[in-house]
Amino acid sequence: MVKAGRILAAGGLFLLAMGAARAEQDIDTGDTAWVLISAALVMLMTPGLGLFYAGMVRAKNVLGTLMHSFTMVALVGVAWVLWGYSLAFGGDGALIGSLEWIGLRGVTGDPGPYADNIPHLAFMTFQGMFAIITPALISGAFAERMRFGAFLLFMLLWSTFVYSPICHWVWGSGGWLGGLGALDFAGGTVVHISSGIAALACALMLGRRKHLGSEEMAPHNLTMTIIGTALLWFGWFGFNAGSALAADGLAASAFVVTNTAAASAALSWMLVETLHRRRSTALGAASGAVAGLVAITPAAGFVGPVSAVVIGFVVSFLSYGAILLKGRLGYDDALDVVAVHFVGGAWGALATGLFASLAINDGGANGLFFGGGLALLGRQFVGVAATAAFSLIASLIILLLVRVFIPLRVTDEDETIGLDLSQHGEMGYNLEAV
Amino acid sequence: MVKAGRILAAGGLFLLAMGAARAEQDIDTGDTAWVLISAALVMLMTPGLGLFYAGMVRAKNVLGTLMHSFTMVALVGVAWVLWGYSLAFGGDGALIGSLEWIGLRGVTGDPGPYADNIPHLAFMTFQGMFAIITPALISGAFAERMRFGAFLLFMLLWSTFVYSPICHWVWGSGGWLGGLGALDFAGGTVVHISSGIAALACALMLGRRKHLGSEEMAPHNLTMTIIGTALLWFGWFGFNAGSALAADGLAASAFVVTNTAAASAALSWMLVETLHRRRSTALGAASGAVAGLVAITPAAGFVGPVSAVVIGFVVSFLSYGAILLKGRLGYDDALDVVAVHFVGGAWGALATGLFASLAINDGGANGLFFGGGLALLGRQFVGVAATAAFSLIASLIILLLVRVFIPLRVTDEDETIGLDLSQHGEMGYNLEAV
Amino acid sequence: MVKAGRILAAGGLFLLAMGAARAEQDIDTGDTAWVLISAALVMLMTPGLGLFYAGMVRAKNVLGTLMHSFTMVALVGVAWVLWGYSLAFGGDGALIGSLEWIGLRGVTGDPGPYADNIPHLAFMTFQGMFAIITPALISGAFAERMRFGAFLLFMLLWSTFVYSPICHWVWGSGGWLGGLGALDFAGGTVVHISSGIAALACALMLGRRKHLGSEEMAPHNLTMTIIGTALLWFGWFGFNAGSALAADGLAASAFVVTNTAAASAALSWMLVETLHRRRSTALGAASGAVAGLVAITPAAGFVGPVSAVVIGFVVSFLSYGAILLKGRLGYDDALDVVAVHFVGGAWGALATGLFASLAINDGGANGLFFGGGLALLGRQFVGVAATAAFSLIASLIILLLVRVFIPLRVTDEDETIGLDLSQHGEMGYNLEAV
Amino acid sequence: MIKIEAIIRPNKLDDVKAALDALGVQGMTVSHVMGSGKQRGRTQHYRGQEYVVNLLDKIKLETVVSDAEADSVVKAITKAAATGEIGDGKVFLSRIDNAVRIRTGEEGDGAIR
Amino acid sequence: MIKIEAIIRPNKLDDVKAALDALGVQGMTVSHVMGSGKQRGRTQHYRGQEYVVNLLDKIKLETVVSDAEADSVVKAITKAAATGEIGDGKVFLSRIDNAVRIRTGEEGDGAIR
Amino acid sequence: MIKIEAIIRPNKLDDVKAALDALGVQGMTVSHVMGSGKQRGRTQHYRGQEYVVNLLDKIKLETVVSDAEADSVVKAITKAAATGEIGDGKVFLSRIDNAVRIRTGEEGDGAIR
Ligand SMILES: Nc1ncnc2c1ncn2[C@@H]1O[C@H](COP(=O)(O)OP(=O)(O)O)[C@@H](O)[C@H]1O
Ligand SMILES: Nc1ncnc2c1ncn2[C@@H]1O[C@H](COP(=O)(O)OP(=O)(O)O)[C@@H](O)[C@H]1O
Ligand SMILES: Nc1ncnc2c1ncn2[C@@H]1O[C@H](COP(=O)(O)OP(=O)(O)O)[C@@H](O)[C@H]1O
């Protein structure tokens, strides 16, 4: 798959546009500023996700849920530097990277092979933030019941053996999915489908929360969820528009469709709620916004604003439907990762095959609705299917493996007491102490 | 009115300074990075405003209040792309834009007519964030009692028939107020006066909250208000310094006076409180900071730092006085939008006529205190008066119109229960669930 | 000490790399965008710090604690513009700046003497954000018991007579510590050691909180502390990578080690907790992240990513140990400023003497582990010792002086009631009002 | 002495307090409780799922009064707290054997006025 | 009338409510309290410091019933709230002299059903 | 059995608990309440508007003890909770007809120790 026009076009057209006075290996300060701030924005998304999730759980699990995101910044933050980046982007293999950049050996402030306009380290850290948030996304599935030690081990393995390979397939030099020519601007497959389907594996393996259905499990603090949504939306500009790897017209275009799809999906989620339940909720508006951001992610650099309105509008119906379906199927994906990230990501990847247009990005392709026929749509489908299949199976294997060493679930008593006290010996709130 | 030096100077002086090697239609990556991140910053202000407001209401209305801001990002986010931008910036009319850019037809990643150094889409989305926050500002006036459906309809109409025209008058090509030569760097009239006076219309039309005065209506969570203030202040750097539309000395100057005026006004609000009530409050420091940010908005690119200290220092006395006056006049502008945004914005616009200096921005003018006489002050006054008069009348008409279809207020019972349960079927906090 | 390579290299190598077409006094838009957004990021750190601290106090002191940070943005924000910047960066003295830039006279949108690639005002405001956060850091030491008036007076004096001089020593033109050739990339001495040791002075002078040890003083809202940590981490990218004063490879390198050290320290704090208490906590992960950010601050532009892993890993053991020691020594540094900022900052400064490498920054030096021998380590030690000694003594003198005019502590009754009601006449939360 | 315990609607607290004030009864203790009874809760929706909350926010107001005052206090509360709609709440009366004012050690009726 | 006051584990509230429902007892008032007794609290750690919290979250459920019902209600609560582990809580019974339904002014047994 | 209900200052809870501990009384139930009485509230200011809050934070501590213990428990509470300033609170005593330990079904005095 082709990430941004940047990567492919790096040796060609773009440089000309940069002005003749710029030497080939020069760093562009504007592009670098944009990629660095984008990396910072994407970093902020992970604690933002923590807030988004933590607001939805019961108060006794608020810190445990925040930790599911926060510790990913720490754990994957270190692992990515030590080996993850090299496995994802090193070498030229079809299936996985190499160990050539282990410990970032040779990755410096000079431009690297993936972008000649920014420091290699900037590209590395921008990518690292994607590697951090992806496993954190999964954690919504097993909220309120996973043992902390098992969680850490699962995530370390998943990041290494699922994320890095898929990332290499799609964006790494020589990666087989990238070679196919399907499009994934900012991580529809790499980030959302991979995590969304891993969430299904987790929900199935961990089982349902105790008393689900009988006890009330209403979100304990939706204001926290709204704050998280705001930070996610804000950070997503870095996620999508930063994926242009340059501060150019393509970045602006990705920025605009990102905002538009999120806005459209927030509205349509409110609409579907009103149709179903006669009221539109704050949680619904937030959920819609996130679903819209997920859906536009693979398409961001390839579609125009009116297409973004449609992509966003449709995703809420699909994700909302998937949530209702979950109720019927009976698995406990506590915070609806499957419905939002897998369903939303798959829709976005396929929608790219419908709405992509060379008028938006001449490094992309035309989708079905813009005269491109079914070719791109087919390639998009292969991307979705391959990513989902691999991530589902590999996640199940890793969970089985972890279970050999540590039980996946907390004890019943600890689940009753909550993760905060049982796993961390803390309480989120002591609002009434003297 | 002249927005930034950028707009007017776009064809002239500025290009020379950019270096000869840059072709005339080239995008500057540094400027683009700055405008894109500024757009992201301004986007963040709207949920920040939601937090600022929501912390001040009672807990039973917290989500309803957050929704008043959050849904603006969604609703205006889509409307701006589909028609709002075109109505505000398309064509050359004196009173309103055109439909030429409807659905962003022709608005691309290449530079547009308003800024030759950045993608047209970047200019569009930066402006879109202003269009989003402006109606959200109004919502503080009718907090805790407006029906959600009526709210949405009012906002859609207001954005289309009040914001877009005023924006065109001031910043659009051919706009009559811009033609006069008054100065509004970042939206004193377009954003703050227009919304601040619309707030008065809403407060008058909706009437007072039940039991105002008899029941205690203390802010339910001032920590939320402080978080919101922090995000507003942070985002305002994009609002004001981003309005330079370039990462240059003018942007730096606007950045500095923004911070300085906010800081000065926070101090002076604490002072006036201490004089009046013998204590300075956190809500006061926050209110002062926001008032200072409002006041410096029109002046940001035209005044120096010491002037900013004065502008900020004075605004708190004016806004605080307006709040006390509200108590006497008896209208229920629940969260003091009139006092902060209309009074603060009007003071800022007039202060620009006092403190503007060609030494700061040679695309501006000299104010009264810098040897410019009364000319600029007079033009500023016309800007304030015209904007306020139009917005007040148009807002009243729209409210009357909306009322034909949907009652503006919730029922008494729903007001007692709160917006969260009655309008959205949710509760903000479930802190004590098991 | 040498701040960034930027400052020293300003006249030399760097300009060549910028491309020949750029005139010597031209502003680079990419660098300017980066420094402006970095300044905004650092601004956000101060309210972020307020949240970090306020989550740890009891609910009755939450606003008082937020005010300790928030009012610094206001107070120092104004003082820096009026005289602080001039005292820190004006003139060529060895010990203190001059009054030449008082009220920012002569500080404009053109480049200044400290950086020729960005507006002087951008440099000024970026530095101003450091001046704002430094005193705010101290406030954790005297949380829950300092009188608000005494607090304001102390901070104004400390900023003027401690921060500005130390800042001049290290980064100011002619400053004696800078002349020595020790390294402080982003403020290990200027920010963290100066504030960390001042915190000790405050803890000693104010005495212990009433009932410390007998009453439970558990953090009232750790979710707030986590939000604060997220904002600190996010903002720290501006703090450290912005200190490159350019959007270049050095900035990217500083960015990467910042994230890496924070991640590593969060993990190692969780480890040391697990070793000590068999559980890792959310407060621990947050504390570790902040300690790691502190430790990497002086080293950020001089060390590589693997060194950052080590620097971060070690700091948690040192800071955690210092917290345990505090329990033994009996002073009440309420929120552990000494352990995190003084100990972490001192370790970071010395670690720079161990891990610095010319391969990372040829404007720096080689540390002990990279073939540089003990020379740099010795210079680093002088920097730590001189800063700590001066700040400790000067802080004590200022406290004694303030005490002449205003008692430092609130009355016993006010301490029981809490700062929010007693100092500000407000309450943070009214969650259960009707 | 009689303990009067009233479960009332949260938004009636101010009115009840005013009514007691008018009788010269100032001492009272108030707490947030949740009540279930005939009154139906509002349904909430979270991501399409329905929650019927059948514990509703109520205020419990307790005041210990002398036997002589009890009757008029109950009347005042009942009048001030009533809306006529289901959910207005109850007043319960029970006997208190003794009361002590902590500050002074006074006992009996003297402790509660 | 008898007031039955039960201190129970928070996570047993739903079971107890169901048991009372089965008896036709719907009126009750519930509040969040903290209890101390034989049950030991979990220790918490904040930056290496240990806090033993010996006040544990409990639910207080109060329901006023007619004398005739009291026995079966106590039994139902006791059965539904028991886990057999220390900390299950207590039920206290005391006499209520009168009850008034605020909405209607009804008194006595008629007020509580 | 006697129910002892004490309304005390929040910051006196630790002292009172220690005093009860000294008497061997460990079982108790504590809740956050708001009290009104002679003590005046602090005024609050929000944007220049004044709020006089006349409901002040208090702690309600309930413990059911045997008739024999009641006197010493009341004395201990009164002593530990007193500051001598207005607002120290009250202790109320009332009769409990029976107590049941949910865990074991024990009744009477045996249920409360
Ligand atoms: N038998 C009871 N014991 C204790 N509290 C009760 C009882 N019955 C009702 N309540 C309290 O009174 C409140 C109102 O009761 P409800 O039956 O809804 O309305 P009404 O009192 O108007 O008939 C309930 O929410 C509950 O708190
Ligand atoms: N004498 C008492 N008076 C009032 N409440 C009590 C008393 N003893 C126990 N409780 C309440 O009952 C709860 C459970 O008591 P505990 O002794 O821990 O377990 P158990 O009831 O199983 O023996 C306590 O947390 C407290 O709320
Ligand atoms: N008659 C009463 N019934 C119930 N609670 C009371 C009564 N009088 C006082 N209280 C409680 O006792 C607290 C202290 O009473 P107050 O009159 O302020 O001081 P003091 O007890 O020192 O005279 C009040 O806040 C309230 O909670």
Side-chain angles (χ1 to χ4, degrees), chain A residues 29 74 148 422 424-426 428 430, chain C residues 28 219-220 222 279-283:
Chain A
T29 58
F148 189 59
S422 74
H424 304 295
E426 290 170 300
N430 279 298
Chain C
D28 182 282
H220 91 283
L222 285 178
R279 268 197 177 58
S280 57
T281 67
L283 178 58

Side-chain angles (χ1 to χ4, degrees), chain D residues 7 35-39 87-90, chain E residues 27-29 63-64 101 103:
Chain D
I7 315 291
S36 128
K38 292 200 174 61
Q39 190 188 1
D88 277 352
K90 319 276 180 216
Chain E
M28 72 191 77
T29 300
T63 178
V64 176
R101 188 191 303 275
R103 171 163 50 94

Side-chain angles (χ1 to χ4, degrees), chain A residues 376-403:
Chain A
L376 179 60
L377 191 60
R379 296 198 297 269
Q380 297 299 101
F381 183 80
V382 172
V384 172
T387 313
F390 173 69
S391 176
L392 180 65
I393 292 166
S395 300
L396 286 171
I397 293 173
I398 294 174
L399 287 164
L400 288 168
L401 192 76
V402 169
R403 202 166 66 172

Side-chain angles (χ1 to χ4, degrees), chain B residues 52 56 261-292 312-324 335-336 339-341 343-344, chain C residues 67 70 74 426, chain F residues 45-49:
Chain B
F52 178 73
M56 284 188 254
S264 172
L267 291 180
S268 65
W269 195 295
M270 286 163 62
L271 176 65
V272 65
E273 280 185 323
T274 307
L275 296 174
H276 182 222
R277 294 290 194 191
R278 311 202 36 217
R279 267 193 180 63
S280 57
T281 67
L283 179 57
S287 306
V290 173
F313 191 84
V314 170
V315 74
S316 295
F317 287 83
L318 302 176
S319 289
Y320 194 89
I323 289 174
L324 296 186
L335 309 179
D336 296 311
V340 173
H341 296 276
V343 173
Chain C
M67 287 290 268
F70 193 82
E426 289 171 300
Chain F
H45 292 116
Y46 298 101
R47 287 192 167 164
Q49 287 206 292

Side-chain angles (χ1 to χ4, degrees), chain D residues 27-29 64 101 103, chain F residues 7 35-39 87-90:
Chain D
M28 73 191 76
T29 300
V64 176
R101 188 191 302 274
R103 172 163 50 93
Chain F
I7 316 291
S36 126
K38 293 200 171 60
Q39 189 188 2
D88 277 354
K90 318 277 179 216

Side-chain angles (χ1 to χ4, degrees), chain B residues 28 30-31 37 58-59 218-223 227 230 233-234 247 249 253 255-256 260 263-264 270 279-283 305-306, chain C residues 29-30 32-33 36-37 39-40 43 47 51 62 67 73-74 78 81 104 109 124 148 224 422 424-426 428-431 434:
Chain B
D28 183 282
D31 294 344
I37 187 63
R58 286 163 292 172
H220 91 284
N221 187 351
L222 285 178
T223 72
I227 297 178
W233 192 323
F234 176 60
S253 176
F255 191 108
V256 168
T260 304
S264 172
M270 286 163 62
R279 267 193 180 63
S280 57
T281 67
L283 179 57
V306 176
Chain C
T29 59
T32 301
L36 286 181
I37 188 61
M43 179 268 150
L51 295 168
V62 64
M67 287 290 268
V73 196
V78 171
V81 158
L104 298 188
M124 184 287 299
F148 189 59
M224 183 177 274
S422 75
H424 305 294
E426 289 171 300
Y429 306 99
N430 279 299
L431 294 175
V434 181

